[in-house]
Amino acid sequence: MSTKLILSFSLCLMVLSCSAQLLPWQKGQRSRPHHGHQQFQHQCDIQRLTASEPSRRVRSEAGVTEIWDHDTPEFQCAGFVAIRVVIQPGGLLLPSYSNAPYITFVEQGRGVQGVVVPGCPETFQSGSEFEYPRSERGRHSRQSESEESSPGDQRYRQSESEESSRGDQSSRQSESEESSPGDQHQKIFRIREGDVIPSPAGVVQWTHNNGDNDLISITLYDANSFQNQLDENVRNFFLAGQSKQSREDRRSQRQTREEGSDRQSRESDDDEALLEANVLSGFQDEILQEIFPNVDQETISKLRGETDQRGFIVQARDLKLRVPEEYEEELQRERGDRKRGGSGGSNGLEQAFCNLKFKQNVNRPSRADVFNPRAGRINTVNSNNLPILEFIQLSAQHVVLYKNAILGPRWNLNAHSALYVTRGEGRVQVVGDEGRSVFDDNVQRGQILVVPQGFAVVLKAGNEGLEWVELKNDDNAITSPIAGKTSVLRAIPVEVLANSYDISTKEAFRLKNGRQEVEVFRPFQSRDEKQRERFSRV
């Protein structure tokens, strides 16, 4: 009896230990950290906003990393750090993790993304082709036949034919030989333009550009997140590579900055924290040799990156990754759920986090949350359609405005937002809590405009339209429009509006019901323009 109690107690300890390792991002923690929101709250006294472009470029062998100046009042208020990464064809952004969660939007190109979550199993193999269960082969046979056959596919079909002609015993033996482990690793998936990719703090990610054009992405870090236990600075910890500058050059530049202005020194130190060094370079050779006893001294030196000056985006050689298609990913996830559920060995933690999706595309018109055929559309990704966002308290919105269309005015109830323009140009007006304009200017592709919580913003597209992505520091950011069918004015009684603005009830009714659209408005048309449009349709 005592033995059973001891075993039960040990099992409970194992479950609690796994819980702590697999779920370090608790769902209920929604408050900003003590070193973020409260200590730096005075920095949200915004007098003027600026639409800015990157202030620093760091070149690597196969790409460029561009960093925004995050020492401005609006970036400090929101706790945002923004970088843009350009990966050339064949380039590899080396594996790294950060002390703060972040969210990435793929602006251009396509590639392969890898994610390494601590405590999750290596469920992918690169040494063998993807294998369907027997019950699923018929369902996917038509799709498989339409794809180009590879030598691996031919070997698989030949092996399947041979298995069917043998007995059950030889069939099981053949399947065992085919499923022998090759190179096992955690999940990888395809990425393309419009994908949103989140990452909790401490999770390793890497990116490979396997396309023909540059892969461009914008990443927003939340330095004020509860997951950041350091200070207001964001730090990237690379597991490979080295800055193109030598250590002596960095020391010399650091000494020069210490003799210069405080602001310049602080900005450069923050940038170095984003792109400075490989964490393995700080360990001594003898320690690394004990940890990795099967490698030689040359490999140890390369682990430390002692002579590596390629930067953190390198040109990959002979990188051939077997990446499952989307339908294969879903099927593999289903198989994993059935396997764990049927074996009785699952505690639910792998299904709760390890199987979560790490991407969602916001560039599909068919999935628009708001659509106006004459004005544009809005696609939103939040914790409702990408549950991992609940762990990192971030979300995104992609907005497309047609020629001269208007979005807003509206404000964020519970989040700051960073607007990054991806196409076109247009005019933006932002009004702060003092009732005066803090921004009234044109924006264009490549610029970021940070809009603090509660500040009202309106955007009007130019003649070429306007597209942007909004990255927000809440997993379910809520906006409140001032005009339109779902607006705050629409929800207020006419008599209250009439007394509030000292107008007649007739004018108040017209004010309340003048726009029947939702958030995205077509441009104003005069009576003559409306008649010409009506005749053109006829």
Side-chain angles (χ1 to χ4, degrees), residues 89-324:
L92 173 67
L93 177 62
L94 296 178
S96 68
Y97 61 93
S98 174
N99 65 315
Y102 59 87
I103 188 169
T104 298
F105 174 77
V106 181
E107 179 183 359
Q108 172 187 305
R110 61 183 179 87
V112 177
Q113 188 79 9
V115 178
V116 181
V117 181
C120 292
E122 295 81 14
T123 57
F124 279 57
Q125 293 185 11
S126 61
S128 60
E129 294 293 326
F130 184 85
E131 297 178 8
Y132 292 111
R134 294 184 179 276
S135 60
E136 302 287 349
R137 286 172 184 165
R139 191 175 71 178
H140 295 282
S141 60
R142 183 176 302 175
Q143 186 168 4
S144 300
E145 291 172 358
S146 64
E147 298 177 351
E148 182 179 355
S149 297
S150 65
D153 294 329
Q154 296 173 3
R155 288 194 301 271
Y156 176 80
R157 285 195 293 270
Q158 181 180 359
S159 176
E160 182 183 7
S161 177
E162 293 174 356
E163 289 174 14
S164 61
S165 63
R166 299 175 186 147
D168 294 337
Q169 182 177 359
S170 60
S171 176
R172 287 194 296 269
Q173 180 179 358
S174 176
E175 290 177 355
S176 175
E177 292 174 355
E178 286 185 354
S179 61
S180 59
D183 177 27
Q184 297 182 333
H185 51 82
Q186 287 197 22
K187 66 174 65 177
I188 59 177
F189 50 88
R190 302 181 189 275
I191 58 174
R192 65 181 186 278
E193 179 179 337
D195 278 345
V196 172
I197 308 164
S199 179
V203 169
V204 173
Q205 297 213 30
W206 52 266
T207 308
H208 173 53
N209 182 357
N210 64 350
D212 300 325
N213 301 312
D214 287 348
L215 176 61
I216 304 176
S217 62
I218 178 76
T219 296
L220 188 77
Y221 297 83
D222 184 10
N224 284 354
S225 169
F226 65 88
Q227 294 183 20
N228 177 15
Q229 298 298 309
L230 298 178
D231 50 33
E232 73 276 14
N233 296 324
V234 171
R235 294 168 171 82
N236 273 340
F237 300 84
F238 282 87
L239 298 180
Q242 197 67 265
S243 173
K244 295 190 72 173
Q245 292 180 322
S246 65
R247 297 183 184 180
E248 290 74 15
D249 292 339
R250 293 201 300 270
R251 291 195 191 100
S252 176
Q253 290 183 3
R254 188 178 295 111
Q255 183 178 359
T256 302
R257 290 195 304 271
E258 289 174 355
E259 298 172 356
S261 65
D262 293 339
R263 175 182 171 118
Q264 181 182 1
S265 175
R266 183 168 60 253
E267 290 176 357
S268 300
D269 289 342
D270 293 349
D271 290 347
E272 281 195 356
L274 284 169
L275 298 167
E276 183 173 17
N278 167 9
V279 294
L280 295 178
S281 64
F283 294 104
Q284 298 299 319
D285 286 358
E286 56 269 21
I287 293 296
L288 293 177
Q289 286 175 343
E290 288 192 45
I291 296 173
F292 305 104
N294 296 328
V295 300
D296 55 24
Q297 180 60 42
E298 181 182 359
T299 302
I300 294 296
S301 298
K302 290 188 175 182
L303 280 176
R304 299 183 61 195
E306 294 178 345
T307 60
D308 193 344
Q309 295 188 10
R310 299 175 297 168
F312 296 111
I313 307 174
V314 303
Q315 189 65 39
R317 298 188 299 271
D318 299 327
L319 183 55
K320 298 178 181 179
L321 300 170
R322 174 65 173 95
V323 187

Side-chain angles (χ1 to χ4, degrees), residues 321-354:
L321 300 170
R322 174 65 173 95
V323 187
E325 301 293 342
E326 289 190 6
Y327 70 90
E328 292 178 320
E329 292 181 27
E330 293 297 330
L331 179 58
Q332 195 172 45
R333 187 179 294 110
E334 292 175 4
R335 291 177 65 189
D337 290 344
R338 288 197 299 267
K339 181 178 179 181
R340 281 183 291 269
S343 63
S346 171
N347 55 20
L349 297 176
E350 290 182 2
Q351 291 139 325
F353 194 84
C354 295

Side-chain angles (χ1 to χ4, degrees), residues 497-504:
L497 292 177
N499 283 275
S500 297
Y501 298 114
D502 193 19
I503 57 178
S504 65

